[in-house]
Amino acid sequence: MAKNKTNNEELLTKAETYKVWMDEELTQIDEALTRTLPDQMTEASISADAKSRSQLLSALVESNEFRPYHTYGNNEYANHVLDELIGVGLITNILEKYPTTSDIGYNGKAMYLDTQDGKIPYARAGEKSKEEERTYFPQLTDEQFEKMPIINHAYIEKLIYRFAMREKTTFTTAKPLFNGFSESIRMSATYKSLAYEGVTMSLRITRASLALNDKNFGAFAPKSVSRLLDLAINAHTSVVLSGETGSGKTETAKYMLGFIDKVRGEPRDKIIVIEDIFEMQATRLYPEKDILEWQTTGDVTISDHVKNALRNFPRWVIVSETRGAEAKGLLESVLSGSPVITTLHAVNNDAVPSRFTGMVAMAPGEIDLAATKDDFLTYFGLGIHISRRLFSNGKVQRYADEIVKFDPTAPNQKFWPILKQGFEEYDGEIHRWWEMYPLPDALKETLRIENNMAPGQVDKEWIPTYRYESENAPVIVDYEKTGKFETITKNGKRYYRLDNNKKKIPVYKKEANGKKIPIYEKDANGQVVYKQQPKLDENENTILVKDENGNPIIDRVEVLFDFNDYK
């Protein structure tokens, strides 16, 4: 376009002149930059990448492509154009305010952030009236609503379009679904023609850092579990991590990578990491380890990489997510002596063997399902199921709800329980409980031998324990002193009773004023009189003892077990 000033422009201030220019040519400049420098436009838009911005600025000021525009030879105006086109970078702006953000979602009405502190409404779309959009956020005060930034459909579509150009594709009615990647961002988007409220988008943020680490592991699982994982990985035990989307499977896998070669202290184990995107950032997290990090493309699948991995003589094969025929290659890897760490979607550990076997069956050729399932249970070591709970205070808790040792000879013909853990919310408090079970003998012996431990040393490091705690009243019950708890389910409620072969403990119920009343009687000297609790009838069925309100007093909701009161 012509760059000659009009008579009207001569009367304008510099800022007003820049606005006139941008009104006339901003769209063309945007299209030209996206076409000629798609990578730089994407990176600068999402992460305020200084190098990308510098390259864009140089193009605007010096490239013949932009000679027709007012940016050519005008560094100041070119910077104003970039400010208008890419701002300070959407992701950078969000992470400065919410550094623990892992996912960003745009549903056509609003943008939400998933952080370690919960789900946060970040921006509104501004596509409806202010009054209507106010109803979308009842949890916000009027002041908080007024301060929300507006990120409209046009901005989101432009961002997706830049990603699409980077991937040499489009995002239109003809191609309404898009999945794309950058160095640290995974994007999934749906075009407005298929979405009721307009364009939708999901972003997954990856970092070369550990969200799960030694300092905060105790919130994820008992700290003894970290030591168990250390011993298991050093013994080259395969691990399957399962759970729902966003539960923390990948972060747990990243944490476990740190245990490889940790005992030896030198990179003896070759590790091959296979991902759709470099989400684990393994080589940046662990530069001292011998890691080959591979990424899939439209032409190279996870199955292709797994087959190729076995030709590279790996000691470990790490697959970010197993979801299809690649499961057969992973099983072959385990059977050939190269252990595996992988994740998959499953409702619990009980479902994992069938899910994995079903994915093996997707591979070409005949599959003996019974033999495949038996191989999985025999040679895949640990199963860790991870849950994610959102509490009323907005806090998000990610935790290992169950850890098992797969074994076809276990009583349930699937696995031995190692850990069970739960979080609950009632009476205005968050309550946590867990039970650590005795390790199966075969696993215990493997850990001992592979970690050069003396007989009995594993038992000293893994002590079966039951623990119950709440925010205001943490309580510890030691397994060896008080006995194991059995779980009883009656009428849809969960109860606990002690193993009858172990010493019994006094049980207290907690009154509304916080006073604890012992259920067990005391003798004249104030000593606890131990009685069987709960009572059993002649058929050894549980008779639930109830309080004056008819509530079962052995229900975990009603009872505190406080060892310090009677030890």
Side-chain angles (χ1 to χ4, degrees):
M1 64 168 289
K3 295 194 298 182
N4 297 325
K5 282 190 177 184
T6 65
N7 292 332
N8 288 337
E9 285 182 11
E10 293 178 355
L11 302 177
L12 301 177
T13 65
K14 182 183 292 186
E16 291 170 334
T17 299
Y18 286 172
K19 186 178 184 309
V20 169
W21 290 351
M22 279 196 275
D23 287 344
E24 295 175 349
E25 61 189 20
L26 190 64
T27 300
Q28 296 98 309
I29 292 173
D30 188 8
E31 291 174 351
L33 285 173
T34 302
R35 182 181 66 255
T36 58
L37 296 168
D39 289 359
Q40 291 83 347
M41 283 293 282
T42 301
E43 292 302 322
S45 296
I46 63 177
S47 63
D49 180 66
K51 182 178 178 181
S52 295
R53 184 182 175 103
S54 176
Q55 292 172 338
L56 293 170
L57 183 64
S58 295
L60 288 174
V61 176
E62 302 170 6
S63 172
N64 286 333
E65 175 84 22
F66 296 92
R67 187 180 289 273
Y69 305 108
H70 290 90
T71 59
Y72 190 78
N74 189 333
N75 195 79
E76 183 180 45
Y77 173 59
N79 268 302
H80 279 279
V81 167
L82 288 179
D83 286 342
E84 184 68 24
L85 288 177
I86 62 178
V88 298
L90 173 65
I91 307 303
T92 298
N93 199 29
I94 288 173
L95 293 183
E96 284 178 356
K97 191 171 183 180
Y98 302 102
T100 65
T101 300
S102 60
D103 293 88
I104 299 173
Y106 188 83
N107 63 13
K109 298 191 297 184
M111 178 174 285
Y112 289 90
L113 314 179
D114 279 343
T115 75
Q116 289 183 7
D117 298 320
K119 191 168 185 174
I120 298 172
Y122 175 73
R124 58 190 180 93
E127 301 286 341
K128 303 287 178 66
S129 69
K130 196 172 184 180
E131 292 72 22
E132 180 175 344
E133 290 196 337
R134 179 67 183 94
T135 65
Y136 302 160
F137 309 99
Q139 71 275 44
L140 300 182
T141 65
D142 289 339
E143 183 180 2
Q144 290 171 327
F145 174 77
E146 291 292 338
K147 290 182 178 179
M148 291 183 83
I150 294 176
I151 299 179
N152 60 22
H153 292 182
Y155 181 92
I156 296 298
E157 288 179 15
K158 186 180 294 185
L159 184 62
I160 299 167
Y161 178 70
R162 288 171 185 161
F163 260 84
M165 288 291 291
R166 191 174 187 268
E167 298 287 327
K168 296 181 173 57
T169 186
T170 60
F171 184 63
T172 61
T173 304
K175 296 194 72 173
L177 301 178
F178 173 73
N179 290 282
F181 316 104
S182 75
E183 183 178 352
S184 59
I185 307 290
R186 179 174 69 191
M187 173 185 281
S188 179
T190 302
Y191 196 65
K192 57 189 175 185
S193 60
L194 300 182
Y196 183 77
E197 291 288 349
V199 61
T200 66
M201 176 192 73
S202 297
L203 297 177
R204 166 64 58 88
I205 315 297
T206 67
R207 303 176 180 83
S209 60
L210 293 173
L212 179 65
N213 52 60
D214 289 338
K215 290 183 178 180
N216 63 20
F217 189 90
F220 174 78
K223 291 186 178 180
S224 298
V225 172
S226 178
R227 175 58 173 159
L228 175 67
L229 296 178
D230 189 354
L231 297 176
I233 295 301
N234 195 53
H236 295 100
T237 305
S238 293
V239 181
V240 179
L241 299 154
S242 60
E244 64 181 80
T245 301
S247 57
K249 300 183 297 295
T250 301
E251 288 299 329
T252 306
K254 287 164 63 176
Y255 175 74
M256 293 174 63
L257 270 174
F259 292 127
I260 297 177
D261 283 326
K262 182 178 178 181
V263 174
R264 288 185 288 271
E266 56 182 270
R268 296 184 182 180
D269 286 357
K270 178 186 285 187
I271 308 163
I272 296 181
V273 179
I274 302 169
E275 305 178 87
D276 288 324
I277 62 169
F278 295 127
E279 190 171 356
M280 289 191 184
Q281 309 224 12
T283 54
R284 294 175 65 188
L285 275 175
Y286 303 107
E288 76 284 1
K289 298 185 186 295
D290 182 11
I291 297 176
L292 285 67
E293 203 166 5
W294 297 344
Q295 186 178 27
T296 63
T297 66
D299 299 321
V300 181
T301 66
I302 293 178
S303 291
D304 295 330
H305 276 316
V306 170
K307 291 176 185 177
N308 190 43
L310 299 181
R311 303 186 187 106
N312 282 263
F313 311 108
R315 194 65 182 93
W316 283 91
V317 177
I318 316 297
V319 174
S320 60
E321 183 182 349
T322 301
R323 54 179 178 267
E326 65 273 5
K328 182 180 180 182
L330 292 180
L331 184 58
E332 290 172 353
S333 176
V334 173
L335 293 174
S336 67
S338 295
V340 164
I341 298 174
T342 189
T343 77
L344 56 80
H345 292 283
V347 294
N348 51 36
N349 280 315
D350 194 58
V352 168
S354 296
R355 283 274 294 138
F356 193 90
T357 303
M359 289 187 284
V360 171
M362 295 178 186
E366 300 233 348
I367 303 291
D368 185 330
L369 292 179
T372 298
K373 188 173 182 179
D374 189 73
D375 283 343
F376 174 86
L377 293 171
T378 302
Y379 297 105
F380 262 85
L382 298 181
I384 303 176
H385 190 266
I386 305 172
S387 287
R388 178 181 182 273
R389 287 288 307 274
L390 176 63
F391 298 109
S392 60
N393 62 5
K395 179 181 178 181
V396 174
Q397 182 67 52
R398 294 175 173 87
Y399 62 97
D401 64 70
E402 185 182 51
I403 300 177
V404 302
K405 169 63 176 74
F406 292 114
D407 185 350
T409 68
N412 66 0
Q413 299 183 323
K414 287 186 179 180
F415 54 71
W416 299 92
I418 292 176
L419 171 78
K420 289 185 179 180
Q421 180 180 210
F423 284 80
E424 300 176 4
E425 183 176 17
Y426 51 81
D427 297 336
E429 291 185 20
I430 297 172
H431 303 256
R432 178 187 186 184
W433 61 271
W434 73 65
E435 185 166 3
M436 294 162 53
Y437 294 82
L439 298 178
D441 291 339
L443 175 62
K444 193 160 41 176
E445 189 66 3
T446 298
L447 297 181
R448 184 188 74 79
I449 293 172
E450 294 296 326
N451 288 278
N452 303 319
M453 301 171 77
Q457 189 174 344
V458 175
D459 287 326
K460 293 179 181 179
E461 299 204 26
W462 181 267
I463 301 174
T465 304
Y466 177 85
R467 178 181 176 102
Y468 166 86
E469 64 185 18
S470 68
E471 292 175 303
N472 299 323
V475 181
I476 299 176
V477 179
D478 188 291
Y479 177 97
E480 295 189 333
K481 293 180 181 177
T482 65
K484 176 182 175 182
F485 283 85
E486 291 183 78
T487 302
I488 306 168
T489 302
K490 279 188 175 290
N491 300 323
K493 298 194 75 174
R494 285 170 297 185
Y495 306 99
Y496 290 87
R497 68 182 176 193
L498 291 168
D499 185 327
N500 289 329
N501 296 320
K502 300 286 185 177
K503 177 183 174 183
K504 303 301 183 291
I505 62 171
V507 180
Y508 295 80
K509 66 177 179 179
K510 189 176 181 182
E511 293 190 335
N513 61 7
K515 184 178 180 181
K516 292 185 293 184
I517 306 298
I519 294 168
Y520 283 91
E521 298 175 2
K522 293 184 179 181
D523 61 19
N525 298 318
Q527 299 299 311
V528 171
V529 177
Y530 292 97
K531 294 181 179 180
Q532 189 179 43
Q533 179 78 320
K535 296 178 180 179
L536 302 177
D537 63 17
E538 64 275 9
N539 297 318
E540 295 194 349
N541 292 320
T542 303
I543 302 173
L544 297 179
V545 182
K546 299 182 179 180
D547 64 16
E548 63 271 19
N549 298 317
N551 297 315
I553 58 177
I554 61 166
D555 189 333
R556 185 167 67 253
V557 175
E558 305 295 333
V559 175
L560 281 178
F561 302 94
D562 195 337
F563 187 73
N564 292 322
D565 285 343
Y566 62 90
K567 68 180 180 179

